[in-house]
Amino acid sequence: MATLGERKIYRQKVMQALYATTEGNRLLGVTGEKLRDDLGVPEQDLAAACTYLVGEGLIEVDWATGNTPSMVTLTHQGIRLMEAAEEERG
């Protein structure tokens, strides 16, 4: 199981990958398999990160069997968070 620091990193990686891949478009999503492979996050840790982010209202997940995300999309709140972070970076 991941440490607290690793879990925070995984959550941030998921958000950044979703925002970059979908270009902030709520109508687009990313498969859980692509996220797992691109980010190198263990499957159980990806599921935990996604569950947390769903609870925060930042993403929506269509779940496959075995607690595997089949499709992950940003919510309006998630897009706003990522846009605010992008603006802060300049």
Side-chain angles (χ1 to χ4, degrees):
M1 193 65 172
T3 66
L4 175 60
E6 290 170 330
R7 290 193 306 267
K8 287 182 175 184
I9 290 169
Y10 293 157
R11 293 174 201 151
Q12 188 61 34
K13 283 183 171 184
V14 168
M15 291 297 292
Q16 289 170 340
L18 281 171
Y19 186 69
T21 303
T22 65
E23 297 178 348
N25 185 337
R26 201 166 169 226
L27 300 176
L28 301 176
V30 178
T31 65
E33 182 180 351
K34 179 168 175 43
L35 281 175
R36 184 193 66 223
D37 293 347
D38 288 356
L39 301 178
V41 175
E43 191 166 326
Q44 70 184 33
D45 293 327
L46 177 61
C50 287
T51 300
Y52 180 92
L53 295 169
V54 166
E56 293 295 306
L58 301 175
I59 66 171
E60 293 178 351
V61 177
D62 294 329
W63 295 98
T65 56
N67 291 328
T68 302
S70 62
M71 185 59 67
V72 185
T73 56
L74 287 168
T75 63
H76 179 73
Q77 185 176 342
I79 293 168
R80 288 184 52 174
L81 177 74
M82 296 307 294
E83 286 176 345
E86 186 177 357
E87 287 175 344
E88 284 180 15
R89 288 189 300 272

